[in-house]
Amino acid sequence: MKKLFLDSRVMDKRAREDFNLTEDLMMENAAAALENAVLPYVFHESGRYIDRPHVLILCGSGNNGADGYALARRLVCHEFTVTCCIVDEPKSELCILQKNRAQKAGVFFIDFYSLDDFIEQKSFDLTVAVDCIFGSGFHQPLSPNAEAVLLSVSKIQCRKISCDVPTGLDALGNGKTIFKADETVTIGSLKFALFSDKAKDFTGKITLANLGISQTNFEHEGKFIPDACLLEKSEMILPWRNKNNVHKGTFGHAVIAAGEKSGAANIAAMAAFNFGAGLVSLCGTESSSCISIMTCNELPENTSALLLGSGFGRKNPDAQKYLAYLCEHKDIPFVLDADIFYYDEIKTFLVTNCSDEKNCRCILTPHLKEFSVLLAKCSLGNFTTEEVMENRLELAKKFTELYKGCVLVLKGAVTLIATWSAKENRAAVYLNPYGTNCLAKGGSGDVLAGLCLSLLAQKYNAINAAVSAGLAHSFASQKYEGSFALTPEKIIEEIEFIK
């Protein structure tokens, strides 16, 4: 698990004070990391150039621009041409100093007015463009100069690298005009901005570079609390069966409340069965699409975990029955998904069943629109889907602080998982960026809900079930080589090959 921060400048300050690292030295380390990212892509394999390879560096007025000028000075030592585009005149002391050094070293300079002509003239020779306009301290909106430069550079066909954070992304990973990088070399620590839904289309490969001290020293666990954590594959705990003296009941009875759209419930049921649940039943229907899945009209006495909402319908008269069952059976863990978030009773139900941090037995799996509805139903505000996406960190924390007895799995291009940490007395947030665009299909969310249900039935606690199910869901999508023909059934099939 890796730490994510909204802003690392306070850590930069501590590195200078506690480790006697000057800003100049730290900047040199940043420039060296950028140099390592640039050099492999300068020369075309074909070796065909009108003149010789050319690297373009876009420099802002602050310390991110200073990184760019330092990089230019280092690159000019090699056998290719380096040009800095001055997007805004240097303002910070270091930016002024680094530009002066680069100028003396023989770096070429152009202003942003000349950029379009420069690109047209050098289009065949330009092999790398480096974005050093704004870093992690950026606040919207972009300056007119920067916006014009980004639009011009978007037309170049070459390797594109960003320093720290692609220009145009703010601390929460939001923006309109954004530099589209093939690689982002982020400096010192991983930034939350790099793992937003929107950022997924602009960061490219993310490389972490140090500033002259280890990441452990830079992030100092005792002094700096991360704003979120990035999940890794090692956090996925698969339900391997290690004992032999077992039977189907050992692995729980997962029950899905069926309703209006039986296909969704069937998908969730198959996912639960394929992820290790010993028994799976559809309740409220007399038929199943799979002979392995049982059906019933009333909840079985040996129900181990219940999924409510997948394909359930928004006016199902049985909703009260299932909600009442969960209120009465405080030992039964459950997953809430999809349609159930539209019921007016949801607020009262959550207050009654999801407020106790000592009994966290619930996983909620809304997508952005459903979370928008849920926030309104719970009197936490009216937000558009776009506003939910842009403010998901704050809204997820706000929801979790109110409902401490649940785990929120907010689905998106990057899935956010939030839960209340009694130990730290704050909301803990985890990001899962591993899902692919082929998951953008009806039924993918039902698979995830079924996976969560299965692990709850197998006695996983809610946070481990949500994390492990989410990672398995994402890594299963990576096993599919296409981008548009993945179906829920194929995801379920791939689950068994996850290791």
Side-chain angles (χ1 to χ4, degrees):
M1 195 176 298
K2 297 178 180 178
K3 299 175 183 178
L4 302 177
F5 298 89
L6 289 170
D7 194 342
S8 63
R9 285 175 292 184
V10 64
M11 290 183 279
D12 291 342
K13 183 174 183 292
R14 176 187 167 267
R16 295 193 297 272
E17 293 173 350
D18 290 7
F19 291 89
N20 298 319
L21 297 176
T22 64
E23 278 193 288
D24 207 349
L25 177 58
M26 293 165 70
M27 192 162 285
E28 202 64 30
N29 283 309
L34 288 167
E35 182 182 21
N36 289 335
V38 168
L39 288 178
Y41 298 95
V42 174
F43 292 93
H44 284 309
E45 292 181 2
S46 65
R48 295 175 298 178
Y49 305 95
I50 293 175
D51 187 3
R52 63 177 181 167
H54 212 116
V55 175
L56 172 66
I57 305 174
L58 313 171
C59 297
S61 60
N63 283 358
N64 203 254
D67 289 334
Y69 290 122
L71 169 64
R73 170 178 47 78
R74 296 176 68 95
L75 290 178
V76 83
C77 302
H78 300 281
E79 305 250 338
F80 51 85
T81 307
V82 182
T83 297
C84 287
C85 174
I86 305 169
V87 180
D88 288 295
E89 286 293 337
K91 293 179 182 178
S92 74
E93 183 179 338
L94 268 175
C95 195
I96 294 169
L97 173 64
Q98 294 289 10
K99 182 191 174 188
N100 186 43
R101 288 174 175 172
Q103 193 168 21
K104 290 180 178 180
V107 175
F108 293 105
F109 295 92
I110 59 171
D111 58 37
F112 77 95
Y113 294 108
S114 308
L115 182 59
D116 284 332
D117 289 340
F118 173 83
I119 290 173
E120 184 176 353
Q121 181 184 358
K122 299 291 184 181
S123 60
F124 195 76
D125 292 339
L126 278 172
T127 55
V128 182
V130 187
D131 160 36
C132 295
I133 305 176
F134 293 112
S136 57
F138 170 69
H139 298 283
Q140 303 285 354
L142 277 173
S143 67
N145 295 8
E147 187 162 9
V149 166
L150 294 189
L151 291 173
S152 295
V153 174
S154 67
K155 303 169 187 174
I156 305 175
Q157 299 297 315
C158 69
R159 180 74 175 182
K160 294 176 183 175
I161 297 170
S162 272
C163 174
D164 205 28
V165 174
T167 291
L169 285 175
D170 63 18
L172 292 173
N174 300 317
K176 294 182 179 178
T177 304
I178 304 165
F179 183 89
K180 186 174 177 58
D182 298 299
E183 180 177 2
T184 297
V185 180
T186 194
I187 312 299
S189 65
L190 290 172
K191 314 300 187 299
F192 181 87
L194 301 174
F195 299 96
S196 70
D197 283 357
K198 185 161 288 187
K200 199 163 185 178
D201 279 325
F202 294 96
T203 58
K205 172 188 174 185
I206 297 171
T207 303
L208 177 61
N210 69 60
L211 290 167
I213 57 174
S214 69
Q215 188 179 359
T216 300
N217 282 329
F218 186 76
E219 295 177 351
H220 197 294
E221 185 174 353
K223 288 194 175 183
F224 305 114
I225 298 174
D227 296 286
C229 289
L230 183 69
L231 294 173
E232 298 181 272
K233 194 171 185 178
S234 58
E235 266 80 56
M236 179 175 63
I237 305 170
L238 295 172
W240 295 111
R241 299 184 173 187
N242 299 315
K243 294 182 179 179
N244 295 313
N245 183 23
V246 294
H247 54 83
K248 57 192 176 187
T250 305
F251 305 104
H253 190 168
V255 180
I256 299 91
E260 183 180 304
K261 299 174 183 176
S262 60
N266 274 281
I267 289 169
M270 283 305 303
F273 203 49
N274 212 42
F275 209 39
L279 295 166
V280 178
S281 290
L282 288 173
C283 187
T285 182
E286 295 181 356
S287 63
S288 167
S289 63
C290 176
I291 59 173
S292 302
I293 306 301
M294 298 182 292
T295 61
C296 55
N297 289 318
E298 299 297 331
L299 287 163
E301 289 186 8
N302 63 342
T303 296
S304 302
L306 175 66
L307 166 59
L308 180 58
S310 293
F312 190 67
R314 298 176 187 178
K315 296 181 180 180
N316 194 318
D318 288 334
Q320 289 293 342
K321 176 182 74 173
Y322 292 117
L323 294 175
Y325 174 87
L326 291 171
C327 289
E328 293 169 7
H329 296 78
K330 300 292 186 182
D331 58 331
I332 301 295
F334 56 95
V335 179
L336 300 182
D337 184 40
D339 290 335
I340 198 63
F341 301 127
Y342 289 82
Y343 282 76
D344 291 335
E345 299 91 337
I346 191 67
K347 178 181 178 180
T348 302
F349 175 80
L350 292 177
V351 169
T352 304
N353 294 277
C354 298
S355 297
D356 184 4
E357 62 189 73
K358 295 180 181 178
N359 185 23
C360 184
R361 62 186 180 117
C362 170
I363 300 174
L364 291 80
T365 58
H367 55 52
L368 296 172
K369 172 61 177 174
E370 291 162 351
F371 192 49
S372 171
V373 171
L374 182 60
L375 290 169
K377 293 288 185 184
C378 294
S379 304
L380 290 173
N382 296 309
F383 302 93
T384 65
T385 302
E386 184 73 15
E387 288 170 337
V388 171
M389 182 177 71
E390 292 179 349
N391 299 283
R392 62 187 186 141
L393 178 63
E394 177 189 351
L395 292 174
K397 285 183 175 181
K398 189 176 180 180
F399 184 88
T400 306
E401 286 166 3
L402 185 60
Y403 302 108
K404 294 182 172 68
C406 71
V407 175
L408 172 67
V409 179
L410 182 54
K411 295 176 290 192
V414 175
T415 294
L416 182 153
I417 301 174
T419 189
W420 183 257
S421 172
K423 180 180 179 182
E424 299 176 355
N425 195 35
R426 65 184 181 92
V429 176
Y430 309 93
L431 299 186
N432 169 6
Y434 306 109
T436 65
N437 56 8
C438 61
L439 286 172
K441 282 285 190 73
S444 292
D446 300 307
V447 174
L448 176 59
L451 299 178
C452 291
L453 175 71
S454 182
L455 295 186
L456 288 179
Q458 294 174 76
K459 302 189 185 312
Y460 280 57
N461 64 37
I463 184 61
N464 285 342
V467 167
S468 296
L471 289 172
H473 188 252
S474 295
F475 288 120
S477 75
Q478 290 185 6
K479 288 182 171 293
Y480 177 70
E481 295 182 358
S483 65
F484 60 85
L486 182 64
T487 62
E489 292 82 359
K490 291 177 182 177
I491 303 171
I492 294 169
E493 290 173 5
E494 294 292 354
I495 289 293
E496 65 182 279
F497 300 110
I498 298 294
K499 295 180 180 181

